[in-house]
Amino acid sequence: MGFRKKNKSPPVLSHEFVIQNHADMVSCLAMVILLGLMFEVTAKFAIMFITVQYNVTQGLDEKTEPVNFYQYGPKDAATVVFYLLIAVILHALIQEYILDKMNRRLHLSKTKHSKFNESGQLAAFYLFSFVWGCSILTAAEFATNPTFLWEGYPHTHMGFQVKFFYICQIAYWLHALPELYFQKVRKEDIPRQLYYICLYVVHITGAYVLNLHRLGLVLLVPHYLVELLFHASRLFYFSDENKQKGFTLWALLFVIARLLTLTLSVLTFGFGLPRTDNQGFSLAEGNFNVLTIRMTCLAAICLTQAWMMWKFINFQLKKWREHSQNQAFKKKTTSPKSKPHKREPARGGAINGAVKSDDRTSPRARKAKAS
């Protein structure tokens, strides 16, 4: 991991060398891009990586000042690459100065150690994205007028905060792909993480390219809140296994978030967009309001929600079985042992191991009687 003192230096450009020093190498690459701003020859290329592109100035009327809006284009790929590098550096800082120190105190096993790091990184990202998304939505009209999700489509003009939010979201989830290698994720955990990383990249990029950034933002904020609660609960669980109340609240909000996502998606693609005046397909205008694209987007969202619910149900059933087995085991170990029945005295009786004879005609008795 970057920023860490190494006791033993591995061979240069070996796998271990790249893994240990990847944050330092990425920092150098980001500094080279920033230094490009200092020279006139390279400044125009460096700006393409650092600043948000495709600025459009639009005046609402003659009295008010013109407002700056943004569109998307191919140069956004360079901006995504730069902030991908920033995400790698921030990932290394969180890992080095927060998560590693907590791991040393908790003394977790290898399996829990990997899950703790994953939840710690995702919890920090979800918290930051949730707060940022809420600040953007407070300036929108969604709370009082949900029809703003489809009114005026195509929404080709974005505010700076909206565009920068999507750039950072795409950059973060793309950075998670090389982090699977840098963090030495176990082979059995790679497929699970690849699934949700690819789903995030496809859905967020789709909302950005298809000019559905309003719907995407509204759906991401509650989803990030639910995921934040889950990973925060898992962090508390690793520190103390008795702290499991957060999972109950997460389960309730998870179902509500799935229903909210399906409801808003059906309203937008099934009722809102088909009734707008601007129907048709045009790449130049950024208009994708045709039946095929609407049904494809709706099907993708519905299938994703169904897959998430299926994983959720399996997770809950697994936890329920484990809880039932633990309860049964506790009852079996704490049940009182059956008391042994008293032995019936043998014929003739036994006191302290000595056999007592009831035969009154024993030789000793007869001799005593004779005397």
Side-chain angles (χ1 to χ4, degrees), residues 238-249:
F238 288 144
S239 62
D240 185 359
E241 293 187 356
N242 295 323
K243 297 178 180 179
Q244 301 187 26
K245 295 182 179 180
F247 291 109
T248 304
L249 179 60

Side-chain angles (χ1 to χ4, degrees), residues 212-279:
L212 296 168
H213 51 84
R214 293 184 182 179
L215 177 64
L217 185 61
V218 170
L219 296 183
L220 276 177
V221 169
H223 174 75
Y224 281 170
L225 174 62
V226 175
E227 293 299 307
L228 170 62
L229 180 60
F230 172 76
H231 289 285
S233 300
R234 194 156 74 162
L235 291 175
F236 285 115
Y237 172 76
F238 288 144
S239 62
D240 185 359
E241 293 187 356
N242 295 323
K243 297 178 180 179
Q244 301 187 26
K245 295 182 179 180
F247 291 109
T248 304
L249 179 60
W250 163 75
L252 177 62
L253 293 179
F254 183 90
V255 177
I256 295 175
R258 303 287 74 76
L259 294 175
L260 178 64
T261 300
L262 290 173
T263 302
L264 293 177
S265 300
V266 171
L267 283 175
T268 302
F269 295 110
F271 299 97
L273 290 176
R275 298 181 181 180
T276 58
D277 298 332
N278 196 0
Q279 302 283 329

Side-chain angles (χ1 to χ4, degrees), residues 44-148:
K44 58 181 179 182
F45 298 102
I47 289 176
M48 184 175 62
F49 284 90
I50 299 170
T51 61
V52 179
Q53 302 294 310
Y54 303 102
N55 183 13
V56 177
T57 303
Q58 185 177 9
L60 300 178
D61 52 48
E62 296 180 355
K63 297 182 180 180
T64 59
E65 296 182 357
V67 182
N68 292 328
F69 291 102
Y70 293 86
Q71 298 176 338
Y72 70 84
K75 292 182 180 180
D76 290 340
T79 312
V80 169
V81 170
F82 177 77
Y83 288 99
L84 184 152
L85 302 179
I86 301 300
V88 172
I89 298 171
L90 294 176
H91 189 116
L93 290 173
I94 294 173
Q95 185 68 42
E96 175 69 19
Y97 294 104
I98 300 177
L99 298 180
D100 284 350
K101 291 183 178 179
M102 296 175 67
N103 276 316
R104 296 189 193 101
R105 295 181 180 179
L106 296 176
H107 304 289
L108 300 175
S109 62
K110 289 184 178 181
T111 303
K112 290 184 177 181
H113 178 85
S114 177
K115 292 182 178 180
F116 183 87
N117 289 337
E118 179 189 2
S119 292
Q121 294 287 348
L122 290 176
F125 169 73
Y126 288 137
L127 176 61
F128 175 76
S129 298
F130 173 72
V131 174
W132 192 3
C134 287
S135 66
I136 296 174
L137 287 180
T138 52
E141 302 175 358
F142 173 71
T144 57
N145 183 23
T147 59
F148 101 109

